[in-house]
Amino acid sequence: MKFTRRTILRGAMAAGALSALPRLSFAATSLEMGTARIDTLSDGNLVLPLGFVTDNPDAKPILERYGITGDAVEPPCNVTLYRDGTNTVLFDVGSGNDFMPTAGKLTEAMDALGVAPEDVTHVVFTHGHPDHLWGVLDDFDEPFFHNAQHMMGKTEFDYWIDPATLDSIDDGRKTFAAGALRRLETLQDQIATFGDGEEILPGIMAQMTPGHTPGHMSYQVKNGNAQAFIIGDAIVNHYLAFAAPGMAAGSDQDPDLGAKTRTALLDQLASEKMPIVGFHLPEGGLGHVERDGDAYRYVPEV
């Protein structure tokens, strides 16, 4: 499917979401990790055409099993907050006010936990898509988390900061590229980059999980004997991505690489049995992966 801004908005209209009331569940789930804590914060939800999941007709029985029968989906957006007593880390920052009216609710979620923007010491990005990056600037185009060190994988940063990406990316994502370029140019003197396998902060290890974007990063977080895996959009939904991980996903910029990454990551997570936090997974995004025959299933921690 070829995506355009009109296509996205048509999917939103199909779900009636542009006129819907905002969702009010801001702080969704939490996980105690030794002396540290993870909270997931709702940035609201997206409204997308079904093609962002798949155009493959073989997916229909799986989608129907999960009650997905219309032309649009409404994935939640879960920003991860990690606090270890020294560092207060946000993994991604949501959409801000410029992407969709159903998203951009992170400020309310932080208020619900009593966390102010100036309390954040580090902002760590999984990738440069709007629902993960665009909330980084305020209404005056100043860094919203003005005391924080901002961090992004070098491959991902180099891709979005390159003006040539605007010419090479597909038409439906040109707005994504322009928005990322503007924000990263503003942050350029405040952002640190890193590579695959680096420990970017104490107990936080980066793992390259490309395909959704060229340099998408996930993060393994450890504190004492406790650990969790922050997957961003490497696994982008709780139904098709688990039941048919090898099937191409419409939201991946490189669908073949995305499917390869997703399959390997699910095998790793099912074997290691560690909690995961997914940006677009339900019930706040905190759960774990179980094997289900030749496929997998997502089990929320509720």
Side-chain angles (χ1 to χ4, degrees):
M1 181 177 186
K2 185 175 181 180
F3 301 113
T4 65
R5 180 170 175 80
R6 181 176 300 170
T7 304
I8 295 171
L9 290 177
R10 188 165 64 243
M13 294 289 283
L18 293 182
S19 60
L21 292 174
R23 296 179 180 181
L24 300 177
S25 179
F26 297 128
T29 55
S30 61
L31 175 68
E32 299 292 342
M33 298 183 61
T35 59
R37 176 186 176 100
I38 280 178
D39 293 281
T40 65
L41 309 177
S42 175
D43 192 52
N45 67 282
L46 303 183
V47 183
L48 300 170
L50 186 60
F52 262 75
V53 178
T54 184
D55 281 334
N56 191 328
D58 293 339
K60 186 177 179 181
I62 299 172
L63 297 175
E64 289 178 344
R65 200 160 71 229
Y66 285 88
I68 300 169
T69 57
D71 296 327
V73 291
E74 299 187 27
C77 299
N78 308 301
V79 173
T80 300
L81 175 69
Y82 175 76
R83 292 176 284 180
D84 64 6
T86 299
N87 297 312
T88 297
V89 185
L90 276 179
F91 291 88
D92 297 325
V93 294
S95 299
N97 298 325
D98 295 335
F99 188 46
M100 287 190 182
T102 53
K105 316 300 182 187
L106 180 60
T107 301
E108 292 96 323
M110 292 176 63
D111 286 346
L113 284 185
V115 178
E118 56 267 25
D119 296 334
V120 177
T121 60
H122 299 82
V123 170
V124 179
F125 296 106
T126 60
H127 64 294
H129 279 169
D131 50 327
H132 299 256
L133 171 65
W134 283 17
V136 78
L137 301 182
D138 63 20
D139 291 339
F140 302 96
D141 276 356
E142 297 291 337
F144 189 72
F145 304 97
H146 48 272
N147 289 337
Q149 169 73 71
H150 294 68
M151 310 178 78
M152 180 179 274
K154 187 176 189 311
T155 299
E156 187 75 359
F157 178 82
D158 289 348
Y159 175 76
W160 294 110
I161 200 72
D162 184 356
T165 296
L166 274 168
D167 298 322
S168 62
I169 202 167
D170 67 83
D171 289 344
R173 292 182 169 95
K174 287 190 182 297
T175 302
F176 295 9
L181 177 62
R182 180 168 71 83
R183 287 161 176 83
L184 293 178
E185 283 181 334
T186 301
L187 292 169
Q188 196 157 9
D189 294 335
Q190 296 175 248
I191 198 161
T193 60
F194 52 86
D196 183 25
E198 289 191 31
E199 186 177 29
I200 62 170
L201 288 167
I204 300 177
M205 186 77 68
Q207 179 174 321
M208 182 82 88
T209 47
H212 186 70
T213 59
H216 186 287
M217 282 284 187
S218 299
Y219 301 93
Q220 186 170 341
V221 180
K222 293 184 178 181
N223 186 277
N225 294 323
Q227 59 183 334
F229 203 92
I230 298 167
I231 61 175
D233 281 5
I235 304 171
V236 79
N237 60 62
H238 67 289
Y239 38 91
L240 201 61
F242 285 80
M247 187 177 290
S251 61
D252 288 345
Q253 289 185 217
D254 185 334
D256 291 339
L257 180 57
K260 181 179 178 180
T261 293
R262 184 165 52 251
T263 301
L265 183 58
L266 284 164
D267 180 68
Q268 173 191 341
L269 294 170
S271 298
E272 296 179 353
K273 302 183 186 304
M274 75 174 74
I276 64 171
V277 186
F279 195 86
H280 294 302
L281 298 183
E283 308 293 345
L286 180 63
H288 64 274
V289 180
E290 292 183 352
R291 298 188 191 278
D292 186 12
D294 294 332
Y296 305 87
R297 60 174 168 262
Y298 172 67
V299 182
E301 303 286 351
V302 294

